[in-house]
């Protein structure tokens, strides 16, 4: 039940409840004894029923009932019909005690799925429960299950949601069920639910009534968000960007070093191993990227390539996929141009997580030019430390021809959105501007920001329309003030929009690009992207930054670098002066095989005794990792391994030459000596050269 | 009445002859007081000259209604007899006048005659109860609710110029479902409701300022920048004020913000109070006449004695002091009581001159002056189809100026269908009422209101042919108009009960009744909480609002 204040217990109630607890304890003890001894006699069953009627939350007892049913059924020529009916009756009386008992609802589902009982009774039961509390999501879940069993039409169920919403539209469950049912009806183009545009327009009108009547009620907003998503989303996966980008020229220096995209490689692994990455960035997570779904034609190709998903959760579905062309063991002719042609999605196989096929077969071709051998850097320069001081950077006035920096508008993969889509979003924007002129509410502002963002996304940047970025940024700044309880969310959104704005064109990127003084103290063609002091709380627009090899994200408010794993060319990274609270937040770095220089000084590593992010990340006890226990044992030696496994997990797979970790609580002497062991390649630690 | 008055002498004499209170007439106020007095242990005799309960609040058969409104009351000849007291004959003055009826055609007339008994037509209609109003509370408090059943009115409409009937967006759900309000209007209206709820919520600090509470509600609504359409809905369809609030010259009931807010609060707590009633309004099954009867039954349970068809012909008064002593019945029996309440149709003749300056003449002079506060025009139509398809029971408010520019009062209407047990299957009764200054004005307003929704029969022309445009509107097979004087309650040495008022609900009437009871018995509680074991069951029921029986 909703909106009913809890009353304090009166003394006599307290006495009653302790008496009840005493009774319950003795029942429970008897029940557990029966359970352990596999006693399924009539008396034992009655005892468990009595226990469940008093306390439906006792899930062990529900499991016992399941075992008992199986036991009784296997034994004799019993009547399954009556046995299962008894179970249904027990569940019903348990639900009358507590209709939010997970165990009870689950047991009912289990019984019904056995197929021995009539389901006619279910609707009557559900109608009772849903009348008593129309927002009980257990009942809604069960309703979906029963509707499926009964093969009740989705149209009828949709009508039911309409009735419930009509009575009281503050009902997340009803709106949710509506979105589930409509998704199905739209998907199979059911009669009356086609075309999709007509249905969605009606739904927009429907939910407007809820939002405008009471903008402070959130249930309608969630449905509205779903509708916006239905309006703008592309079901089919699409390629958004790649590295190398289409039509680009990569220059390889004769000794397998890599030039191109305005950079010669700094200290990259690529020059060590001679591997040339090819990165595909999709609009959503996909699976099925392999040598048949993505065909590569080139002289450079000598062996079967294995595409690797760049995802943090070890699944075979990812938004970003990478493959390495192994050039190291190849005799390349100097001054020769090799062409590479990649065909994506010309044969089927690429699927979204929802099972949609890749939409728009596309081709990426680029050229690799092998330059004559250049001089190797002299020995003395190798030992020079990378510094991030302003004096080491020089502003770039204009990009050179060489700097083939790829941004979104150079990618031809953006599909044209339908006029209806744009019109609908424009209509929504007008509506919400109206609402905001009437009533200043946070959810109105948030929706307007989302709609404007969607509009910018839909209209091609090439058609010359003014983008709404400035207004969106201002809306998020207003929201941070208006709704001080959710600053992180708005800050994240603000960061994403800001990054989108910065990375949208070459011109917008220019102010953030600098030449970096290389080891010889001269400014070379090394471009560093400096995104410092922007109050960024998260990273985004990575699809436009695949070319970046040197990145300065210092002096922001970053707590996570989710998505950074796609930046396979990244070799120098400055994360100093941010808000990283734990090493696990640096997880994406593990995929960056070319990373050599890392500055994470002045963060909050080790300052938080409880790592709230840990559950999101892998741990040695979770079986998702191939954890090399022996190696950590050798490395930690006398140290307490438990304190260092996070560091081992992040750094163990990297070949850093420079690391700066000063200004973090975690960085004590023990930790430092551990790092030196974990990173044998390390030459500089905390600005000190290692001997 | 059609009922002969000649056999009173054969009535067995009433025993005992002394009472605390004698009540003449079984109208709602009289019945409530009879029940309230009985509940505190007074001995009460409740008389009615009619053969039915309810007086001006009765629900009557088709035949009884027409004859009650037209046939003059024939007081029985005064029975002679000796008395120690001065015998003052009662004077009957019917509050009804200007009654006119019309049937569509002979066929309709004979249908109504043949089905006369299937009708329970309210004399004081349109009347309904708000689920959270004083009448409902009183029904539960008194225990009278156990003798009644209610049903929710399906829809509440407001009549809009050029638009016809629109649902009254009277709750969050209704605003959401409304099809005629723009999104902006929905937002404005709901925000206003929230403002009011916040004001009424003791835990909230945001209050409407004291200053704003004292200004006219209409000015407050303007200050809140509410558009005219919403203003009109709030004032006339929800607060249900009678007079045009924008017209200071004619407005006799300018509503203050604080009262407007109370009306809104009562209305909004009425919506959804009872699960089976979707809207704010309830109507008693078998008509409003059930209401006074329920209180009479309650009174009877507590010992009140009932005698119907028993007119009182005279009052007995002490010669010197002029104090009331008792009544003389048409049967000739004299009965005595400390207090008396009279039906508003009865009064005493004004003494011929004020020459004799004694107590008696002065008292009679006072008593003969009835408090007449204007008049209400009432209209009734019987149709064979609903004004709104698929809706059987509904209310309609026509705000001022919606029918024609000179319309200064709002008109209230109520359609009740056969599922409330008041008319034969397939028929509907529509009640209309409005306050007015004279009969012509009142009838003109009601006719305009009826014509907006119905095709009316033309008086004297029973063969009228419907014109082409008329076939969309339901056809009224019968119509009635009458004017009723508004007589308020009065507390003197003999009290007088009020007639039905011009409101849709009974709030004012219950207030007046409670006040009258307070004057008569200043020491007594108006329906004290029952303590005897037989009543405790009722009390439990009340707590869960189940004291009211609703048919779904």
């Amino acid at each position: 039940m909703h909106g009913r204040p809890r009353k304090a217990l009166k003394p006599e109630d307290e006495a009653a409840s302790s008496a009840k607890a005493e009774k319950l304890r003795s029942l429970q003890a008897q029940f557990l004894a029966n359970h352990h001894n596999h006693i399924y006699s009539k008396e034992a069953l009655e005892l468990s029923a009595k226990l469940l009627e008093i306390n439906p939350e006792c899930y062990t007892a529900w499991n016992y009932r399941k075992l008992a049913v199986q036991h009784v059924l296997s034994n004799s020529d019993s009547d399954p019909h009556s046995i299962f009916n008894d179970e249904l009756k027990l569940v019903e009386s348990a639900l009358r005690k507590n209709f939010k008992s997970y165990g009870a609802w689950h047991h009912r589902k289990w019984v019904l799925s056995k197929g021995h009982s009539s389901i006619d009774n279910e609707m009557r039961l559900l109608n009772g429960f849903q009348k008593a509390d129309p927002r009980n999501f257990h009942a809604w879940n069960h309703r979906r299950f029963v509707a499926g069993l009964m093969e009740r039409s989705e149209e009828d169920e949709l009508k039911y949601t309409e009735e419930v919403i009509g009575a009281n539209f503050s009902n997340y469950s009803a709106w949710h069920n509506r979105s589930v049912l409509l998704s199905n009806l739209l998907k199979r183009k059911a009669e009356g639910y086609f075309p999709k545009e007509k249905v969605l327009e009606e739904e927009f009108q429907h939910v407007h009534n809820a939002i405008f009547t009471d903008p402070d009620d959130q249930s309608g907003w969630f449905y509205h968000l779903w509708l916006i998503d239905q309006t703008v989303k592309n079901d089919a996966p699409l390629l958004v960007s790649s590295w190398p980008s289409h039509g680009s020229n990569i220059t390889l220096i004769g000794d397998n070093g890599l030039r191109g995209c305005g950079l010669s490689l700094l200290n990259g692994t690529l020059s060590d191993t001679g591997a040339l990455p090819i990165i595909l960035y999709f609009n959503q997570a996909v699976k099925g990227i392999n040598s048949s779904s993505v065909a590569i034609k080139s002289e450079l190709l000598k062996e079967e390539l294995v595409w690797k998903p760049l995802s943090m959760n070890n699944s075979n579905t990812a938004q970003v996929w990478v493959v390495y062309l192994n050039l190291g063991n190849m005799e390349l002719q100097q001054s020769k141009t090799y062409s590479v042609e990649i065909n994506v999605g010309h044969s089927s196989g690429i699927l979204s997580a929802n099972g949609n096929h890749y939409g728009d077969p596309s081709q990426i071709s680029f050229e690799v030019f092998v330059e004559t051998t250049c001089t190797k850097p002299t020995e003395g320069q190798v030992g020079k430390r990378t510094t991030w001081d302003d004096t080491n950077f020089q502003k770039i006035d204009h990009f050179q021809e060489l700097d083939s920096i790829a941004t979104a508008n150079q990618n031809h993969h953006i599909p044209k959105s339908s006029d209806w889509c744009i019109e609908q979003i424009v209509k929504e924007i007008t509506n919400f501007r109206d609402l905001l002129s009437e009533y200043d509410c946070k959810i109105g502002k948030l929706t307007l920001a989302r709609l404007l963002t969607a509009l910018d996304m839909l209209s091609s940047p090439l058609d010359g329309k003014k983008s709404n970025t400035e207004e969106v940024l201002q809306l998020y700044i207003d929201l941070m003030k208006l709704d001080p309880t959710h600053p992180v969310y708005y800050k994240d959104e603000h960061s994403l929009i800001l990054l989108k704005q910065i990375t949208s064109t070459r011109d917008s990127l220019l102010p953030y690009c600098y030449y970096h003084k290389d080891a010889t103290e001269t400014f070379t063609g090394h471009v560093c992207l400096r995104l410092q002091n922007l109050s960024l709380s998260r990273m985004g627009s990575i699809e436009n930054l695949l070319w970046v090899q040197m990145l300065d994200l210092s002096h922001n408010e970053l707590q996570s670098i989710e998505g950074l794993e796609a930046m396979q060319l990244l070799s120098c990274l400055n994360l100093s002066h941010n808000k990283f609270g734990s090493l696990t937040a640096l997880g994406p770095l593990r995929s960056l095989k070319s990373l050599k220089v890392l500055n994470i000084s002045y963060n909050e590593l080790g300052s938080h005794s409880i790592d709230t992010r840990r559950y999101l990340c892998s741990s040695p006890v979770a079986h998702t990792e191939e954890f090399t226990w022996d190696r950590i044992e050798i490395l930690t030696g006398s140290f307490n391994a438990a304190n260092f496994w996070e560091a081992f997990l992040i750094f163990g797979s990297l070949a850093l030459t420079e690391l700066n970790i000063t200004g973090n609580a975690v960085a004590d002497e023990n930790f430092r000596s551990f790092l030196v062991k974990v990173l044998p390649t390390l030459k500089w630690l905390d600005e000190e050269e290692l001997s | 009445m059609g009922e002969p008055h000649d056999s009173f002498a054969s009535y067995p004499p009433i025993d005992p002859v002394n009472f605390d209170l004698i009540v003449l007439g079984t109208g709602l106020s009289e019945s409530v007081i009879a029940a309230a007095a009985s509940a505190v242990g007074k001995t009460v005799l409740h008389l009615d000259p009619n053969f039915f309960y309810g007086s001006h609040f009765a629900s009557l058969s088709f035949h009884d209604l027409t004859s009650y409104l037209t046939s003059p009351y024939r007081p029985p000849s005064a029975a002679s007899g000796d008395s120690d007291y001065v015998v003052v004959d009662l004077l009957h003055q019917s509050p009804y006048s200007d009654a006119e009826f019309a049937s569509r055609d002979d066929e309709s007339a004979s249908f109504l005659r043949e089905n006369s008994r299937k009708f329970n037509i309210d004399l004081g209609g349109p009347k309904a109860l708000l689920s959270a109003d004083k009448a409902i509370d009183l029904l539960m408090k008194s225990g009278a609710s156990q003798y009644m059943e209610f049903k929710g009115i399906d829809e509440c409409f407001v009549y809009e110029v050029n638009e016809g009937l629109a649902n009254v967006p009277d709750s969050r759900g209704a605003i959401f479902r409304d099809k005629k309000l723009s999104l902006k209007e929905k937002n404005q209206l709901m925000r206003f409701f929230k403002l009011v709820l916040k004001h009424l919520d003791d835990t909230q600090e945001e209050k409407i300022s004291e200053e704003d509470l004292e200004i006219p509600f209409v000015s407050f609504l303007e200050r809140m920048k509410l558009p005219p359409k919403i203003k009109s809905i709030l004032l006339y369809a929800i607060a249900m004020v009678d007079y045009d609030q924008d017209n200071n010259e004619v407005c006799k009931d300018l509503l203050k913000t604080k009262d407007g807010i109370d009306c809104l609060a009562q209305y909004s707590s009425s919506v959804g109070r009872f699960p089976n009633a979707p809207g704010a309004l309830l109507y008693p099954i078998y008509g409003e006449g059930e209401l006074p009867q329920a209180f009479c039954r309650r009174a009877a349970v507590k010992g009140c004695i009932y005698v119907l068809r028993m007119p009182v012909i005279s009052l007995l008064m002490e010669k010197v002091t002029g104090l009331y002593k008792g009544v003389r019945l048409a049967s000739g029996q004299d009965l005595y009581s400390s207090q008396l309440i009279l039906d508003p149709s009865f009064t005493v003749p004004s003494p011929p001159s004020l020459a004799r300056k004694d107590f008696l003449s002065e008292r009679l002079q006072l008593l003969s002056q009835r408090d007449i506060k204007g008049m209400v025009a009432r209209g009734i139509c019987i149709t064979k189809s609903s004004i709104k398809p698929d809706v059987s029971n509904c209310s309609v408010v026509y705000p001022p100026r919606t029918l024609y520019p000179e319309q200064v009062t709002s008109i209230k209407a109520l359609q009740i269908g056969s599922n409330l047990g008041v008319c034969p299957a397939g028929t509907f009764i529509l009640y209309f009422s409005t306050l007015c200054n004279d009969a012509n004005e009142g009838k003109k307003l009601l006719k305009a209101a009826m014509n907006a929704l119905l095709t009316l029969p033309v008086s004297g022309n029973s063969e009228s042919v419907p014109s082409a445009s008329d076939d969309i509107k339901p056809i009224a097979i019968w119509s009635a108009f009458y004017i009723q004087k508004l007589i308020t309650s009065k507390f003197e040495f003999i009290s007088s009960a009020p007639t039905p008022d011009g409101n849709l609900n009974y709030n004012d009437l219950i207030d007046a009744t409670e006040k009258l009871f307070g004057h008569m018995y200043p020491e007594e509680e108006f329906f004290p909480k029952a303590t005897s074991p037989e009543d405790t069951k009722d009390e439990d029921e009340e707590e869960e609002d189940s004291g009211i029986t609703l048919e779904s």
Side-chain angles (χ1 to χ4, degrees), chain A residues 106-312:
Chain A
H106 185 264
H107 193 68
R108 192 165 192 92
K109 219 166 143 178
W110 179 80
V111 170
L112 290 172
S113 65
K114 295 289 169 192
H116 290 292
S117 346
S118 151
I119 43 177
D120 301 339
N121 205 21
E122 293 309 290
M123 277 296 163
R124 177 197 59 78
L125 187 77
L126 275 172
N127 286 337
F129 281 121
Q130 292 194 290
K131 205 165 188 181
D133 182 2
R135 303 196 274 196
N136 180 358
F137 71 87
H138 297 274
W140 281 96
N141 276 340
H142 195 66
R143 191 179 179 96
R144 272 193 291 278
F145 172 74
V146 171
L149 275 187
M150 292 174 74
E151 292 173 17
R152 223 173 111 86
S153 81
E154 284 166 328
E155 286 89 340
D156 285 351
E157 284 295 285
L158 195 72
K159 213 170 266 164
Y160 177 74
T161 66
E162 207 153 303
E163 283 166 26
V164 177
I165 291 168
N168 179 4
F169 62 83
S170 304
N171 191 327
Y172 292 96
S173 300
W175 287 110
H176 169 68
N177 207 28
R178 194 167 177 81
S179 69
V180 171
L181 294 164
L182 261 182
S183 298
N184 293 340
L185 288 166
L186 289 173
K187 203 168 180 177
R188 61 178 171 89
K189 297 191 167 71
E191 203 188 327
Y193 296 88
F194 184 81
K196 174 183 157 189
E197 286 79 2
K198 188 188 120 247
V199 179
L200 290 180
E201 268 172 47
E202 284 170 10
E203 290 303 305
F204 268 117
Q205 282 170 12
H206 192 189
V207 76
H208 285 158
N209 286 324
I211 292 170
F212 278 72
T213 301
D214 192 353
D216 298 331
D217 184 89
Q218 290 176 28
S219 50
W221 292 95
F222 279 86
Y223 191 68
H224 189 256
L225 193 58
W226 178 77
L227 283 178
I228 299 176
D229 191 50
Q230 293 298 303
T231 306
V232 302
K233 79 162 177 191
N234 250 313
D235 290 327
L238 290 164
L239 189 66
V240 249
S241 75
S242 65
W243 194 89
S245 57
H246 182 65
S248 62
N249 297 300
I250 312 295
T251 306
L252 289 179
I253 298 164
D255 61 352
N256 298 342
L258 197 62
R259 282 176 66 97
C261 291
L263 298 156
S264 61
L265 250 278
L266 296 167
N267 304 303
T269 314
L270 305 178
S271 60
D272 299 348
T273 61
L276 178 75
I278 296 172
I279 310 164
L280 298 180
Y281 203 109
F282 295 89
N283 64 343
Q284 55 184 297
V286 293
K287 56 186 170 189
I289 305 290
N290 51 44
S291 50
S292 72
S293 61
V294 178
I296 303 182
K297 269 188 266 173
S298 173
E299 280 179 72
L300 294 170
L301 190 64
K302 294 283 188 261
E303 56 194 15
E304 183 86 357
L305 294 177
V306 181
W307 285 92
K308 202 181 133 214
L310 287 176
S311 82
M312 299 309 295

Side-chain angles (χ1 to χ4, degrees), chain B residues 432-445:
Chain B
F432 296 81
S433 80
T434 187
L435 299 182
C436 59
N437 293 315
D438 62 67
N440 286 340
E441 183 202 5
K443 285 187 182 176
K444 186 182 162 196
L445 280 166

Side-chain angles (χ1 to χ4, degrees), chain A residues 6-21:
Chain A
R6 186 184 284 268
K7 283 184 203 150
L9 280 181
K10 291 178 203 151
E12 61 262 33
D13 292 343
E14 256 171 70
S17 92
S18 67
K20 198 176 137 194

Side-chain angles (χ1 to χ4, degrees), chain A residues 165-170 206 208-210 212-217 435 438-439, chain B residues 171-178 181 183-184 186-188 190-191 194 225 276:
Chain A
I165 291 168
N168 179 4
F169 62 83
S170 304
H206 192 189
H208 285 158
N209 286 324
F212 278 72
T213 301
D214 192 353
D216 298 331
D217 184 89
L435 176 65
E438 229 8 79
Y439 181 62
Chain B
S171 66
R172 193 165 173 271
I175 295 171
F176 169 71
R177 291 188 299 268
D178 195 281
L181 292 175
L183 291 176
K184 202 170 180 169
K186 288 187 176 202
N187 185 254
Q188 289 170 323
M190 188 62 211
R191 249 179 320 130
K194 280 187 166 182
K225 298 197 179 68
N276 285 340

